Short mmCIF file of all heavy atoms in Angstrom, two decimals:
data_model
loop_
_atom_site.label_atom_id
_atom_site.label_comp_id
_atom_site.label_asym_id
_atom_site.label_seq_id
_atom_site.Cartn_x
_atom_site.Cartn_y
_atom_site.Cartn_z
N ALA T 163 68.31 149.47 125.10
CA ALA T 163 68.16 150.17 126.38
C ALA T 163 68.17 149.17 127.54
O ALA T 163 68.78 149.43 128.58
CB ALA T 163 66.88 150.98 126.39
N MET T 164 67.50 148.03 127.34
CA MET T 164 67.49 147.02 128.40
C MET T 164 68.89 146.44 128.62
O MET T 164 69.28 146.15 129.75
CB MET T 164 66.51 145.89 128.05
CG MET T 164 65.06 146.31 128.14
SD MET T 164 63.94 145.02 127.60
CE MET T 164 64.02 143.90 129.01
N PHE T 165 69.65 146.28 127.55
CA PHE T 165 71.01 145.77 127.69
C PHE T 165 71.88 146.76 128.47
O PHE T 165 72.71 146.35 129.28
CB PHE T 165 71.63 145.49 126.32
CG PHE T 165 73.04 145.00 126.40
CD1 PHE T 165 73.29 143.67 126.69
CD2 PHE T 165 74.11 145.86 126.23
CE1 PHE T 165 74.60 143.21 126.79
CE2 PHE T 165 75.41 145.40 126.32
CZ PHE T 165 75.66 144.07 126.61
N LEU T 166 71.69 148.05 128.22
CA LEU T 166 72.51 149.06 128.90
C LEU T 166 72.27 149.07 130.40
O LEU T 166 73.20 149.37 131.16
CB LEU T 166 72.23 150.44 128.32
CG LEU T 166 72.73 150.69 126.90
CD1 LEU T 166 72.36 152.09 126.45
CD2 LEU T 166 74.24 150.49 126.81
N VAL T 167 71.05 148.77 130.85
CA VAL T 167 70.75 148.87 132.27
C VAL T 167 70.87 147.54 133.01
O VAL T 167 70.81 147.53 134.24
CB VAL T 167 69.35 149.47 132.53
CG1 VAL T 167 69.25 150.86 131.94
CG2 VAL T 167 68.26 148.58 132.01
N GLN T 168 71.03 146.45 132.29
CA GLN T 168 71.12 145.17 133.01
C GLN T 168 72.47 145.08 133.72
O GLN T 168 73.46 145.62 133.25
CB GLN T 168 70.91 143.99 132.06
CG GLN T 168 72.08 143.62 131.19
CD GLN T 168 71.74 142.45 130.27
OE1 GLN T 168 70.61 142.04 130.18
NE2 GLN T 168 72.73 141.96 129.58
N PRO T 169 72.48 144.41 134.86
CA PRO T 169 73.74 144.31 135.61
C PRO T 169 74.76 143.48 134.84
O PRO T 169 74.43 142.50 134.18
CB PRO T 169 73.33 143.63 136.92
CG PRO T 169 72.02 143.00 136.65
CD PRO T 169 71.38 143.75 135.53
N LYS T 170 75.98 143.92 134.92
CA LYS T 170 77.06 143.22 134.23
C LYS T 170 77.45 141.98 135.03
O LYS T 170 77.43 141.99 136.27
CB LYS T 170 78.29 144.13 134.08
CG LYS T 170 78.00 145.43 133.38
CD LYS T 170 77.54 145.20 131.96
CE LYS T 170 77.24 146.52 131.29
NZ LYS T 170 76.08 146.50 130.47
N PRO T 171 77.79 140.89 134.35
CA PRO T 171 78.18 139.69 135.08
C PRO T 171 79.51 139.91 135.80
O PRO T 171 80.40 140.60 135.30
CB PRO T 171 78.31 138.62 133.99
CG PRO T 171 78.57 139.38 132.74
CD PRO T 171 77.86 140.69 132.91
N LYS T 172 79.58 139.33 136.98
CA LYS T 172 80.81 139.45 137.76
C LYS T 172 81.85 138.48 137.19
O LYS T 172 81.54 137.37 136.80
CB LYS T 172 80.55 139.14 139.22
CG LYS T 172 79.63 140.14 139.86
CD LYS T 172 79.38 139.81 141.30
CE LYS T 172 78.43 140.84 141.89
NZ LYS T 172 78.09 140.52 143.26
N LYS T 173 83.08 138.97 137.16
CA LYS T 173 84.15 138.13 136.64
C LYS T 173 84.51 137.09 137.68
O LYS T 173 84.58 137.36 138.87
CB LYS T 173 85.38 138.97 136.30
CG LYS T 173 85.15 139.89 135.13
CD LYS T 173 86.42 140.62 134.79
CE LYS T 173 86.19 141.53 133.60
NZ LYS T 173 87.39 142.24 133.21
N LYS T 174 84.72 135.88 137.19
CA LYS T 174 85.15 134.81 138.09
C LYS T 174 86.63 134.96 138.37
O LYS T 174 87.40 135.40 137.52
CB LYS T 174 84.88 133.45 137.44
CG LYS T 174 83.42 133.16 137.24
CD LYS T 174 83.25 131.79 136.63
CE LYS T 174 81.78 131.49 136.40
NZ LYS T 174 81.59 130.16 135.79
N LYS T 175 86.98 134.60 139.57
CA LYS T 175 88.38 134.64 139.91
C LYS T 175 89.09 133.53 139.16
O LYS T 175 88.62 132.40 139.09
CB LYS T 175 88.57 134.44 141.41
CG LYS T 175 88.02 135.56 142.24
CD LYS T 175 88.26 135.30 143.71
CE LYS T 175 87.67 136.41 144.55
NZ LYS T 175 87.84 136.14 145.99
N SER T 176 90.21 133.89 138.59
CA SER T 176 90.95 132.87 137.85
C SER T 176 91.74 132.04 138.85
O SER T 176 92.43 132.53 139.73
CB SER T 176 91.88 133.52 136.83
OG SER T 176 92.82 134.32 137.49
N VAL T 177 91.59 130.77 138.69
CA VAL T 177 92.27 129.85 139.58
C VAL T 177 93.48 129.32 138.82
O VAL T 177 93.35 128.73 137.75
CB VAL T 177 91.35 128.67 139.97
CG1 VAL T 177 92.09 127.67 140.84
CG2 VAL T 177 90.11 129.20 140.65
N THR T 178 94.63 129.57 139.39
CA THR T 178 95.85 129.05 138.76
C THR T 178 96.21 127.75 139.46
O THR T 178 96.25 127.67 140.68
CB THR T 178 97.02 130.06 138.86
OG1 THR T 178 97.22 130.36 140.24
CG2 THR T 178 96.68 131.33 138.11
N ARG T 179 96.42 126.80 138.68
CA ARG T 179 96.80 125.50 139.23
C ARG T 179 98.31 125.44 139.36
O ARG T 179 99.04 125.78 138.43
CB ARG T 179 96.29 124.38 138.35
CG ARG T 179 94.77 124.38 138.27
CD ARG T 179 94.30 123.24 137.45
NE ARG T 179 92.86 123.37 137.31
CZ ARG T 179 92.00 122.46 137.73
NH1 ARG T 179 92.43 121.38 138.31
NH2 ARG T 179 90.73 122.64 137.57
N GLN T 180 98.71 125.03 140.53
CA GLN T 180 100.16 124.93 140.77
C GLN T 180 100.55 123.48 140.50
O GLN T 180 99.93 122.54 140.95
CB GLN T 180 100.49 125.33 142.18
CG GLN T 180 100.16 126.79 142.45
CD GLN T 180 100.44 127.18 143.87
OE1 GLN T 180 100.76 126.33 144.69
NE2 GLN T 180 100.35 128.46 144.16
N ILE T 181 101.61 123.38 139.78
CA ILE T 181 102.13 122.06 139.46
C ILE T 181 103.28 121.79 140.42
O ILE T 181 104.20 122.59 140.57
CB ILE T 181 102.60 122.00 138.00
CG1 ILE T 181 101.44 122.32 137.08
CG2 ILE T 181 103.22 120.65 137.69
CD1 ILE T 181 101.82 122.43 135.62
N VAL T 182 103.19 120.67 141.04
CA VAL T 182 104.25 120.28 141.99
C VAL T 182 105.25 119.42 141.23
O VAL T 182 104.91 118.41 140.63
CB VAL T 182 103.65 119.51 143.18
CG1 VAL T 182 104.73 119.07 144.12
CG2 VAL T 182 102.61 120.36 143.86
#
Side-chain angles (χ1 to χ4, degrees):
M164 289 175 74
F165 179 80
L166 290 179
V167 300
Q168 77 182 8
K170 304 297 179 221
K172 294 180 181 177
K173 292 184 179 181
K174 295 181 181 179
K175 294 181 182 178
S176 62
V177 177
T178 56
R179 298 183 185 240
Q180 296 178 353
I181 301 174
V182 178

